[in-house]
Amino acid sequence: EDVDIPSRRVLITGATGLLGRAMFKEFNENNWNAVGCGYRRAQPRFEQINLLDSVAVHDIIHDFQPHVIVHCAAERRPDIVESQPDAASQLNVAASGNLAKEAAGVGAFLIYISTDYVFDGTSPPYKETDIPNPLNLYGKTKLEGEKAVLENNEDAAVLRIPVLYGEVERLEESAVTVMFDKVQFSNKSANMDHWQQRFPTNVKDVATVCRQLAEKRMLDPSVKGTFHWSGNEQMTKYEMACAIADAFNLPSSHLRPITDCPVVGALRPKNAQLDCSKLEMLGIGRRTPFRAGIKESLWPFLVDKRWRQTVFH
């Protein structure tokens, strides 16, 4: 049978994760031949690859010969990085550098996903040229990963993004969606951080930006280096929680704003807002309004089913 296999090939690491799933879907639905790889949750849908196994990484890249590799896999939980620094460094730094080297070997365009946590949050908004100063070990490993990528592959791209949300498999998958239970169970008061300024960003938007960046690069080899993308609605976790309550017509009076700097866990930057004008000038970008995006992400986790019937029937 004549099956039209798109000639543009993309390999996505971390394809089982929140961002990776959206990335796979975005490329797949836009006429790319996408292969996703994962580790613990890979089969049957994705290739199972341990990114620390350099032979396995070499083999999949040489067999598939991708034009583009989007590297979403990372240890992205700051408190876990603090407690398991060696494992985090292996994945965030060593594996990223090796992937960049292998990408260069087959002429693939690598997009390395990084974070706004490379900045200390004292003088936002941050341009790509601003000097990073990460406050926590997670930010440090991602910054070292950026350097490892660009040292091994000068034609690669780094895309820094902030806190993500989207269609989660479990509420704990995102620092935004994890708040939903506290919002829904209004019989007990919940303390919410009202100190750190965040810019919640939908994974679908990041996936669109990566695809647009990849397609622009296919036409223009000068597209490389460091880029920023972010949602443009500034909100603390308390404000996000109130917006979530509002989106589902739930009470928010039990949510308590805490304006002090958090004392437990890894240090967080107060406001690491990213300036996205470099990508915008390339005509790249997409932003889903937070209320629309969060409603779409969370309604399957709504406890009160009556609300669902009124909206969807």
Side-chain angles (χ1 to χ4, degrees), residues 8 12 51 56 69 104 141 144 150 154 157 244 247-248 264 272 287:
R8 301 181 295 181
I12 293 153
L51 292 177
I69 300 172
T141 62
E144 284 169 25
L150 296 172
E154 59 184 21
I244 291 168
F248 290 97
V264 289
R287 288 190 177 99

Side-chain angles (χ1 to χ4, degrees), residues 66-235:
H67 299 98
V68 174
I69 300 172
V70 186
H71 181 28
C72 299
E75 178 48 75
R76 53 171 190 78
R77 297 164 296 180
D79 296 335
I80 301 284
V81 177
E82 300 283 338
S83 63
Q84 302 172 13
D86 293 344
S89 180
Q90 283 292 309
L91 183 57
N92 291 357
V93 186
S96 302
N98 180 56
L99 203 60
K101 193 171 90 230
E102 292 292 350
V106 296
F109 175 48
L110 176 73
I111 301 174
Y112 168 80
I113 302 294
S114 190
T115 172
D116 59 342
Y117 276 23
V118 300
F119 297 111
D120 62 18
T122 56
S123 54
Y126 291 95
K127 287 186 148 51
E128 290 83 353
T129 48
D130 287 332
I131 294 165
N133 181 34
L135 295 180
N136 59 38
L137 198 56
Y138 165 64
K140 287 187 177 102
T141 62
K142 291 300 288 183
L143 181 60
E144 284 169 25
E146 291 184 9
K147 290 174 180 163
V149 163
L150 296 172
E151 277 164 15
N152 282 285
N153 186 338
E154 59 184 21
D155 291 324
V158 165
L159 179 66
R160 295 180 183 141
I161 52 175
V163 65
L164 299 176
Y165 74 93
E167 288 175 29
V168 290
E169 290 176 349
R170 311 176 315 282
L171 289 174
E172 306 79 63
E173 242 187 335
S174 153
V176 179
T177 57
V178 75
M179 301 189 283
F180 196 31
D181 281 347
K182 283 186 177 172
V183 172
Q184 289 194 82
F185 301 119
S186 55
N187 53 351
K188 64 175 194 276
S189 72
N191 291 344
M192 292 285 176
D193 176 47
H194 193 41
W195 174 81
Q196 188 185 8
Q197 303 296 323
R198 310 297 298 267
F199 292 81
T201 300
N202 195 310
V203 287
K204 286 184 178 175
D205 298 345
V206 178
T208 298
V209 163
C210 286
R211 179 184 58 79
Q212 292 173 334
L213 194 60
E215 289 173 356
K216 194 151 283 274
R217 166 61 176 257
M218 300 286 99
L219 304 169
D220 178 1
S222 76
V223 174
K224 59 185 179 181
T226 305
F227 300 93
H228 289 171
W229 190 255
S230 165
N232 56 2
E233 294 167 84
Q234 179 171 327
M235 301 169 128

